[in-house]
Amino acid sequence: MISLNQTIQLDKSTTISMASEREEVSLWHQLKAWIHMSPEQKAVTKTPIVNCLVCLEENENLTPATPPENIANANPGIVLFCGHMMCKDCYDGWAEHLTNSGETVSCPKCRLDLVYTTKKESFEGCTHPAYAYPLPAASWQPDYIPPTKPEGGSIPNFCHPCRIESMNFLARQIRELREGGYDDFQVRNAILHSAAGALQLTDFEKQAAFPPNPDGSPYRPWVAPAPGNEENYLFVELREEVIREGYTWRGPAPSR
């Protein structure tokens, strides 16, 4: 018959054994779930380990779950929009190879496209690769990564540099129309209702350049930027919009 003291000792041994075991995970939301566990939950849960899905080296990727004795040899990792985690160097090399070959950047594991749009001639997005977030090395970091695809996340239509270029383009159009003798009312109509939608403005650009009424109606007289200040006017709108968005798969939001 096992005594009460023996039972307690057996339970302690089982707990210690389970906590010392490690279980391989490949998706960010799996690691994040462990990071957010309480110490009591972690004590009875297998500790996750992230191994690169590309190089399959013995050294793990550095995460908050990496034991202290393994930290020095762990590799920096990244999180992709699809949720897969791998070595930063491995992914960078893979993405560079695909780009140089004229192919769409995708995840080397699940082959999900990781670009803002796959349409090379599209006005609705750019074909640049989505941002890959550094895999956090400390437990206080994980909330900076936006929701991945398995968590219901989505990739925006433009990267940060392309949004800036798009706003540059819009500012040039406004300035050139003014220099051509258009008054501000005509400028607004020309930009919003150009022949066959030639400018192909995104909803964001329309709202940034021509903000609607507080009640949502689009008929408020346009408060035009001062002549010569078109770029500054639009970039203030762009910066504020990006800050409101916070962390997205475009990358970190700029500071004010």
Side-chain angles (χ1 to χ4, degrees), residues 13-22 42-47:
S13 299
T14 302
T15 299
I16 292 170
S17 175
M18 182 174 290
S20 65
E21 292 181 15
R22 305 194 72 192
K42 289 179 180 177
V44 294
T45 304
K46 290 182 179 179
T47 302

Side-chain angles (χ1 to χ4, degrees), residues 146-182:
T148 58
K149 183 178 175 62
E151 299 171 288
S154 61
I155 295 181
N157 57 349
F158 286 101
C159 65
H160 282 317
C162 283
R163 288 182 100 191
I164 291 172
E165 176 54 34
S166 186
M167 297 300 270
N168 261 327
F169 171 75
L170 183 55
R172 287 196 300 270
Q173 298 302 309
I174 295 173
R175 187 172 61 251
E176 288 172 7
L177 288 169
R178 281 174 158 176
E179 291 172 351
Y182 282 60

